[in-house]
Amino acid sequence: MAAEQSTGRSNRLRKRTQAPRRLDQQPSYPNIFCEECGLGDCENEMLLCDKCDRGYHMYCLRPIVARVPAGRWFCPNCKADPIKEFPLVQTKIIDFFRIQRSSQAAHTSLLESRKRRKRSTSLVVSKKKRRLLPFTPCRDQARRLQQMGSLATALTTSGVEFSDKLTYMPGMAPRSANRPALEKGGMQIMSREDKASLELCQAMCKEGEWPPLLVVFDSCEGFTVEADGCIKDLTIITEYVGDVDYLKNREKDEGDSMMTLLSTGNPSTTLVVCPDKRSNIARFINGINNHTPEGRKKQNLKCVRYDVDGQARVLLVAIRDIAKGERLYYDYNGYEQEYPTHHFV
């Protein structure tokens, strides 16, 4: 199973009206020191607060700032944005995630399809190569409400709209550009069995039967995702979704969450997924520092791209059994090694 890469971009200078000030852009501030470490080195990685003019190394901040933020930037002392938890009210969460209230017959059909998939899995594993597995939702409805509430909190705090599919916006790449036949070297076609697992996952999410995942806030990593139950190897965690755009339009974008969707070898036809405005829980699953053996050991997910009915799709899939409480990490660079992950966990 080949891993695919997120497309990151190293920090670039922007006009003052578009980006926060960096010390190396401010010759009138010769004696600025980082408020955290007290040093004045690494000027190209020090941000100046737009309110108090104090300096902070991007790697000294908690959570670490992996890229130059877009727009004005305020230091922790000047920034007043406490995280407000999304209310754990069932009707609010149902509306937020656009959960469909299905009939009893439809719910029974979903349960039966899950049972059939479970019965057939053992035969497939023993006689053929291993297949992707659908996630197993928590049976406790109140707990699922907490899981969905944690994601709603992270999305609203980050200003991201919930979406569970790839979106094609005006001015970006059209749906017709998503043609797996253009993939350099070819793209693997999703098998019928794996497609059934993916469709089952999608159907369960629409019913409000959520994967066992919890979004938590960490002082170092920011929002991150941990398993809220045991997850088996080869389980589909989620699909990586967001706005689809041409790589040529994003080559100067400092976004650190872009994911390759279609790699043609040409920026004019290569597509990337941009989850900065619309996305799902994949937006908060962190890339791993793959420059160290310790970092690689923590990796428990892979990004895998498939041709699904003539459309390129990206899935995050477990590559080993994951215990409850374990945080999820995937290999951010893949084979490109083009994004600096040395400040990642």
Side-chain angles (χ1 to χ4, degrees):
M1 185 181 295
E4 294 302 334
Q5 72 280 10
S6 284
T7 304
R9 294 289 172 261
S10 60
N11 296 326
R12 295 180 173 85
L13 302 183
R14 287 185 174 183
K15 294 181 180 178
R16 175 66 186 90
T17 56
Q18 293 179 317
R21 291 171 295 170
R22 287 211 326 226
L23 184 57
D24 61 338
Q25 299 170 268
Q26 305 298 318
S28 59
Y29 290 83
N31 298 314
I32 295 294
F33 298 92
C34 175
E35 295 294 316
E36 296 294 334
C37 69
L39 299 178
D41 59 351
C42 300
E43 294 183 354
N44 63 331
E45 296 199 52
M46 191 179 293
L47 298 176
L48 295 181
C49 176
D50 277 295
K51 184 175 181 180
C52 68
D53 282 333
R54 291 188 176 94
Y56 291 82
H57 286 126
M58 291 160 56
Y59 51 82
C60 287
L61 290 163
R62 293 294 182 271
I64 289 171
V65 178
R67 63 184 175 91
V68 176
R72 291 162 63 82
W73 179 80
F74 299 98
C75 71
N77 292 327
C78 297
K79 183 174 161 184
D81 60 343
I83 297 172
K84 296 181 180 179
E85 292 188 1
F86 194 86
L88 288 176
V89 180
Q90 186 173 6
T91 54
K92 287 185 176 293
I93 290 179
I94 286 174
D95 291 340
F96 186 90
F97 292 109
R98 301 185 290 277
I99 294 172
Q100 300 174 1
R101 299 176 184 270
S102 63
S103 63
Q104 183 60 39
H107 186 70
T108 302
S109 176
L110 179 61
L111 292 176
E112 285 300 318
S113 65
R114 188 188 306 155
K115 290 177 181 177
R116 288 196 299 271
R117 182 71 181 90
K118 187 175 182 180
R119 284 196 296 267
S120 65
T121 298
S122 59
L123 296 176
V124 171
V125 170
S126 61
K127 294 184 179 181
K128 298 181 180 180
K129 67 178 183 179
R130 297 192 300 168
R131 302 294 184 183
L132 300 183
L133 303 176
F135 61 77
T136 302
C138 176
R139 300 264 51 90
D140 184 347
Q141 185 177 6
R143 188 60 181 173
R144 290 204 308 271
L145 210 62
Q146 290 181 321
Q147 293 166 353
M148 290 186 284
S150 71
L151 174 57
T153 295
L155 289 169
T156 52
T157 300
S158 304
V160 179
E161 178 184 338
F162 172 72
S163 175
D164 58 355
K165 60 184 179 181
L166 296 173
T167 46
Y168 299 88
M169 307 301 293
M172 297 186 188
R175 187 183 301 271
S176 59
N178 187 350
R179 291 182 288 161
L182 298 176
E183 173 76 9
K184 185 178 180 180
M187 182 178 293
Q188 58 185 324
I189 298 175
M190 177 169 277
S191 69
R192 183 179 62 181
E193 294 87 351
D194 289 349
K195 183 182 173 185
S197 293
L198 177 59
E199 290 175 345
L200 180 54
C201 290
Q202 293 170 331
M204 286 190 290
C205 285
K206 288 180 180 178
E207 294 272 328
E209 298 201 355
W210 219 247
L213 304 172
L214 200 65
V215 184
V216 297
F217 187 82
D218 181 271
S219 61
C220 180
E221 299 180 38
F223 285 114
T224 187
V225 179
E226 63 183 35
D228 200 34
C230 296
I231 299 174
K232 293 182 179 180
D233 182 21
L234 287 181
T235 295
I236 298 173
I237 302 299
T238 186
E239 180 176 358
Y240 205 99
V241 300
D243 295 339
V244 178
D245 203 358
Y246 292 114
L247 177 59
K248 67 176 182 180
N249 295 339
R250 300 283 176 158
E251 287 185 312
K252 295 184 179 180
D253 194 315
E254 282 103 7
D256 61 356
S257 298
M258 289 190 296
M259 175 71 69
T260 297
L261 176 65
L262 182 66
S263 181
T264 68
N266 183 347
S268 298
T269 53
T270 291
L271 300 179
V272 291
V273 182
C274 308
D276 53 329
K277 293 184 173 60
R278 281 161 285 274
S279 192
N280 58 8
I281 200 166
R283 174 68 179 82
F284 303 106
I285 297 177
N286 286 331
I288 195 67
N289 183 341
N290 51 12
H291 290 280
T292 65
E294 293 77 14
R296 287 191 292 271
K297 286 179 183 178
K298 294 174 70 173
Q299 180 191 348
N300 47 27
L301 303 182
K302 278 225 185 259
C303 302
V304 191
R305 294 188 292 127
Y306 288 100
D307 176 344
V308 184
D309 295 333
Q311 294 282 305
R313 308 267 288 274
V314 187
L315 302 184
L316 296 184
V317 178
I319 58 173
R320 59 174 172 79
D321 290 344
I322 302 173
K324 181 178 180 180
E326 187 177 345
R327 291 191 177 173
L328 305 186
Y329 299 101
Y330 64 91
D331 185 339
Y332 201 93
N333 281 334
Y335 56 77
E336 279 194 349
Q337 301 292 319
E338 68 171 19
Y339 190 80
T341 63
H342 54 284
H343 293 327
F344 286 14
V345 293

Coordinates of all heavy atoms in Angstrom, one line a residue, residues 80-108:
A80 N -7.0 37.1 22.7 CA -8.1 36.6 23.6 C -9.1 35.8 22.8 O -10.1 36.3 22.3 CB -8.8 37.8 24.2
D81 N -8.8 34.5 22.7 CA -9.7 33.6 22.0 C -9.8 32.3 22.7 O -9.4 31.3 22.2 CB -9.2 33.4 20.6 CG -7.8 32.8 20.5 OD1 -7.1 32.8 21.6 OD2 -7.4 32.2 19.5
P82 N -10.4 32.3 23.9 CA -10.6 31.0 24.6 C -11.5 30.1 23.7 O -12.4 30.5 23.1 CB -11.4 31.4 25.9 CG -12.0 32.7 25.5 CD -11.1 33.4 24.6
I83 N -11.1 28.8 23.8 CA -11.8 27.8 23.1 C -13.2 27.6 23.7 O -13.3 27.2 24.9 CB -11.0 26.5 23.0 CG1 -9.7 26.7 22.3 CG2 -11.8 25.4 22.3 CD1 -8.8 25.6 22.3
K84 N -14.2 27.8 23.0 CA -15.6 27.6 23.5 C -16.1 26.2 23.0 O -16.2 26.0 21.8 CB -16.5 28.7 23.1 CG -16.1 30.1 23.6 CD -17.1 31.1 23.2 CE -16.7 32.5 23.7 NZ -17.6 33.6 23.3
E85 N -16.5 25.4 24.0 CA -16.9 24.0 23.6 C -18.3 24.1 22.9 O -19.2 24.9 23.4 CB -17.0 23.1 24.8 CG -15.6 22.8 25.4 CD -15.7 21.7 26.5 OE1 -16.9 21.3 26.8 OE2 -14.7 21.4 27.1
F86 N -18.4 23.3 21.9 CA -19.7 23.3 21.2 C -20.7 22.6 22.1 O -20.4 21.6 22.8 CB -19.6 22.4 19.9 CG -20.7 22.6 19.0 CD1 -20.8 23.6 18.0 CD2 -21.8 21.7 19.0 CE1 -21.8 23.7 17.2 CE2 -22.8 21.8 18.2 CZ -22.9 22.8 17.2
P87 N -21.9 23.1 22.3 CA -22.9 22.6 23.2 C -23.3 21.1 22.9 O -23.5 20.8 21.7 CB -24.1 23.5 23.1 CG -23.9 24.2 21.7 CD -22.5 24.3 21.5
L88 N -23.2 20.3 23.9 CA -23.6 18.9 23.7 C -25.1 18.7 23.7 O -25.7 18.0 24.5 CB -22.9 18.0 24.7 CG -21.4 17.8 24.6 CD1 -20.9 17.0 25.8 CD2 -21.0 17.2 23.3
V89 N -25.7 19.3 22.7 CA -27.2 19.2 22.6 C -27.4 18.5 21.3 O -26.9 18.8 20.2 CB -27.9 20.6 22.5 CG1 -29.4 20.4 22.3 CG2 -27.5 21.4 23.7
Q90 N -28.2 17.4 21.4 CA -28.3 16.5 20.2 C -28.8 17.2 19.0 O -28.3 17.0 17.9 CB -29.2 15.3 20.6 CG -29.3 14.2 19.5 CD -30.1 13.0 19.9 OE1 -30.6 13.0 21.0 NE2 -30.1 12.0 19.1
T91 N -29.8 18.0 19.1 CA -30.4 18.7 18.0 C -29.4 19.6 17.3 O -29.3 19.7 16.1 CB -31.7 19.5 18.4 OG1 -31.3 20.4 19.5 CG2 -32.8 18.6 18.8
K92 N -28.6 20.3 18.1 CA -27.6 21.2 17.6 C -26.5 20.4 16.8 O -26.1 20.8 15.7 CB -26.9 22.0 18.7 CG -27.8 23.1 19.3 CD -27.0 24.0 20.3 CE -27.9 25.1 20.8 NZ -28.2 26.1 19.7
I93 N -26.1 19.3 17.3 CA -25.1 18.5 16.6 C -25.6 17.9 15.4 O -25.0 17.8 14.3 CB -24.5 17.4 17.6 CG1 -23.6 18.1 18.7 CG2 -23.7 16.4 16.9 CD1 -23.0 17.2 19.7
I94 N -26.9 17.4 15.4 CA -27.5 16.9 14.2 C -27.6 17.9 13.1 O -27.3 17.6 12.0 CB -28.9 16.3 14.6 CG1 -28.8 15.0 15.4 CG2 -29.7 16.1 13.3 CD1 -30.1 14.5 15.9
D95 N -27.9 19.1 13.5 CA -28.0 20.2 12.5 C -26.6 20.6 12.0 O -26.4 20.8 10.8 CB -28.7 21.4 13.1 CG -30.1 21.2 13.4 OD1 -30.7 20.3 12.8 OD2 -30.7 22.0 14.2
F96 N -25.6 20.6 12.9 CA -24.2 21.0 12.5 C -23.7 20.1 11.5 O -23.1 20.5 10.5 CB -23.3 21.0 13.8 CG -22.0 21.6 13.5 CD1 -21.7 22.9 13.6 CD2 -20.9 20.7 13.1 CE1 -20.4 23.4 13.4 CE2 -19.6 21.2 12.9 CZ -19.4 22.5 13.0
F97 N -23.8 18.8 11.7 CA -23.3 17.8 10.8 C -24.3 17.3 9.7 O -24.0 16.3 9.0 CB -22.7 16.6 11.6 CG -21.5 16.9 12.4 CD1 -21.6 16.9 13.8 CD2 -20.3 17.2 11.8 CE1 -20.5 17.2 14.6 CE2 -19.2 17.5 12.6 CZ -19.3 17.5 14.0
R98 N -25.4 17.9 9.7 CA -26.5 17.5 8.7 C -26.8 16.0 8.7 O -26.8 15.4 7.7 CB -26.0 18.0 7.3 CG -25.8 19.5 7.2 CD -25.5 19.9 5.8 NE -24.2 19.5 5.4 CZ -23.0 20.1 5.6 NH1 -23.0 21.2 6.4 NH2 -21.9 19.6 5.2
I99 N -26.9 15.5 9.9 CA -27.2 14.1 10.1 C -28.6 13.8 9.6 O -29.6 14.5 9.9 CB -27.0 13.6 11.5 CG1 -25.5 13.7 11.9 CG2 -27.5 12.2 11.8 CD1 -25.2 13.5 13.3
Q100 N -28.8 12.8 8.8 CA -30.1 12.4 8.3 C -30.8 11.5 9.2 O -30.3 10.5 9.7 CB -29.9 11.7 6.9 CG -29.2 12.6 5.9 CD -28.9 11.9 4.6 OE1 -29.3 10.7 4.5 NE2 -28.3 12.6 3.7
R101 N -32.1 11.9 9.6 CA -32.9 11.0 10.4 C -33.6 10.0 9.5 O -34.5 10.3 8.8 CB -34.0 11.8 11.1 CG -33.4 12.9 12.1 CD -34.5 13.7 12.7 NE -34.0 14.8 13.5 CZ -33.8 14.7 14.8 NH1 -34.0 13.5 15.4 NH2 -33.3 15.7 15.5
S102 N -33.1 8.8 9.5 CA -33.6 7.8 8.6 C -34.7 7.0 9.2 O -34.9 7.0 10.5 CB -32.5 6.8 8.2 OG -32.0 6.1 9.4
S103 N -35.5 6.3 8.4 CA -36.6 5.5 8.9 C -36.0 4.2 9.6 O -34.8 3.9 9.4 CB -37.5 5.0 7.7 OG -36.7 4.3 6.8
Q104 N -36.9 3.5 10.3 CA -36.4 2.3 11.0 C -36.0 1.2 9.9 O -35.0 0.5 10.1 CB -37.5 1.7 11.8 CG -37.2 0.5 12.6 CD -36.0 0.7 13.6 OE1 -35.9 1.8 14.2 NE2 -35.1 -0.2 13.7
A105 N -36.6 1.2 8.8 CA -36.3 0.3 7.7 C -34.9 0.5 7.2 O -34.1 -0.4 7.0 CB -37.3 0.3 6.6
A106 N -34.6 1.8 7.0 CA -33.3 2.2 6.5 C -32.2 1.8 7.5 O -31.1 1.4 7.2 CB -33.2 3.6 6.1
H107 N -32.5 2.1 8.8 CA -31.5 1.8 9.8 C -31.3 0.3 9.9 O -30.1 -0.2 10.1 CB -32.0 2.3 11.2 CG -31.0 2.2 12.3 ND1 -29.9 2.9 12.4 CD2 -31.0 1.4 13.4 CE1 -29.2 2.6 13.4 NE2 -29.9 1.6 14.1
T108 N -32.3 -0.5 9.8 CA -32.2 -2.0 9.8 C -31.4 -2.5 8.7 O -30.5 -3.3 8.8 CB -33.6 -2.6 9.8 OG1 -34.4 -2.2 10.9 CG2 -33.5 -4.2 9.8

